[in-house]
Amino acid sequence: MSENKLAGQFFDAAIGLLHRVRDEEGDAITAAGTAIADTVAAGGRLFAFGAGHSSLAAQDVVYRAGGLALMNLLAVPGVVGIDVMPATLGSALERVDGLAGAVLDSSPAKPGDVLVVISLSGRNALPVEMAMNARALGLKVIGVTSVAYAQDTKSRHKSGSFLKDHCDIVLDSKIAVGDAELTTEGIDAPFAPASTVVTTALMQAVMAAAAGELAERGIEVPLLRSGNVDGGHEWNGRVMSEYGDRIFFRH
């Protein structure tokens, strides 16, 4: 089997998953977009959290061209990326009880704000407690996860529950347990994960739905422009000045 054939199979698998989430998660995407629009309209703030590779989809909607300027990354030291040494420490921190509460208590998040919690498996202590504690603080929680894990694996949280059990809205990424789309003779382990592609697409779909909802209400959509187009820096400077009290990735 040629490498090109495997590459094509990965594209087919990813496209198939994108079709599924578009067709099957439409209502949840609309609900999530509406929740974000409601929060923006009410003067609230937006936060996104993910650990390990799930953080990539959270980072993708923070401080980027074409994105909502009000979306902030809720960062947990050591779990946002693979820059921590050793890389396995990030995975270990996801299983530490109490870390989510410490982060939320030190964050600017307030009742009425929205927190998007992204976790492919949704089974580790950190994302479960992040959602639980956020709701206890009065935040609306949107979970982005693979519901299949809750059906086919055991929770690592002491409650036995999963991320999906502590969310106001759940977006199911449809990713199979193990997050690897391909197998072939001569390669012992499954490979080619698609969760980043699908989860990032889900997040951008929600942002698009939120922008459309705000526009329908006649409310300015606080979007950022690319700094690489003429006038982009000036546009972004105005947006950050007008909405500075809700933007926490700047000083």
Side-chain angles (χ1 to χ4, degrees), residues 78-99:
V79 306
V80 172
I82 58 170
D83 55 337
V84 64
M85 298 291 286
T88 50
L89 175 60
S91 297
L93 289 172
E94 287 187 62
R95 305 179 190 183
V96 174
D97 293 334
L99 185 55

Side-chain angles (χ1 to χ4, degrees), residues 205-243:
V206 169
M207 296 300 106
E213 181 68 23
L214 286 168
E216 287 183 6
R217 300 182 194 182
I219 298 172
E220 180 186 24
V221 185
L223 294 171
L224 295 173
R225 289 182 180 268
S226 172
N228 297 313
V229 299
D230 292 342
H233 287 298
E234 292 77 13
W235 172 281
N236 292 342
R238 177 189 64 80
V239 170
M240 289 193 179
S241 176
E242 290 185 14
Y243 298 92

Side-chain angles (χ1 to χ4, degrees), residues 73-125:
L73 185 68
L74 187 65
V76 178
V79 306
V80 172
I82 58 170
D83 55 337
V84 64
M85 298 291 286
T88 50
L89 175 60
S91 297
L93 289 172
E94 287 187 62
R95 305 179 190 183
V96 174
D97 293 334
L99 185 55
V103 169
L104 276 170
D105 289 345
S106 303
S107 79
K110 295 181 179 180
D113 292 345
V114 163
L115 172 62
V116 183
V117 180
I118 304 168
S119 174
L120 177 62
S121 72
R123 68 191 297 228
N124 289 313

Side-chain angles (χ1 to χ4, degrees), residues 2-220:
S2 70
E3 291 181 355
N4 285 343
K5 186 172 183 180
L6 287 173
Q9 288 180 353
F10 173 75
F11 280 116
D12 289 342
I15 291 168
L17 285 163
L18 289 171
H19 278 303
R20 283 194 65 196
V21 296
R22 181 196 64 187
D23 296 340
E24 299 174 19
E25 296 301 299
D27 289 344
I29 290 168
T30 297
T34 299
I36 288 173
D38 288 344
T39 300
V40 172
R45 291 80 60 82
L46 310 173
F47 299 89
F49 164 77
H53 286 93
S54 290
S55 74
L56 295 174
Q59 294 178 60
D60 193 59
V61 294
V62 175
Y63 185 56
R64 71 162 305 143
L68 288 175
L70 307 187
M71 183 60 75
N72 301 278
L73 185 68
L74 187 65
V76 178
V79 306
V80 172
I82 58 170
D83 55 337
V84 64
M85 298 291 286
T88 50
L89 175 60
S91 297
L93 289 172
E94 287 187 62
R95 305 179 190 183
V96 174
D97 293 334
L99 185 55
V103 169
L104 276 170
D105 289 345
S106 303
S107 79
K110 295 181 179 180
D113 292 345
V114 163
L115 172 62
V116 183
V117 180
I118 304 168
S119 174
L120 177 62
S121 72
R123 68 191 297 228
N124 289 313
L126 184 55
V128 172
E129 290 186 356
M130 190 68 77
M132 292 175 69
N133 289 9
R135 289 181 93 184
L137 289 173
L139 278 72
K140 175 158 280 191
V141 177
I142 300 169
V144 186
T145 188
S146 169
V147 173
Y149 277 84
Q151 299 167 343
D152 298 329
T153 69
K154 292 183 179 180
S155 171
R156 291 184 175 133
H157 186 255
K158 57 189 177 184
S159 68
S161 62
F162 287 77
L163 168 61
K164 74 174 185 63
D165 300 318
H166 305 285
C167 299
D168 298 285
I169 301 166
V170 176
L171 301 174
D172 183 4
S173 64
K174 316 294 182 181
I175 301 295
V177 173
D179 190 20
E181 295 299 318
L182 302 182
T183 58
T184 191
E185 186 176 352
I187 300 178
D188 292 337
F191 57 102
S195 62
T196 303
V197 173
V198 177
T199 305
T200 299
L202 270 171
M203 289 297 295
Q204 292 296 348
V206 169
M207 296 300 106
E213 181 68 23
L214 286 168
E216 287 183 6
R217 300 182 194 182
I219 298 172
E220 180 186 24

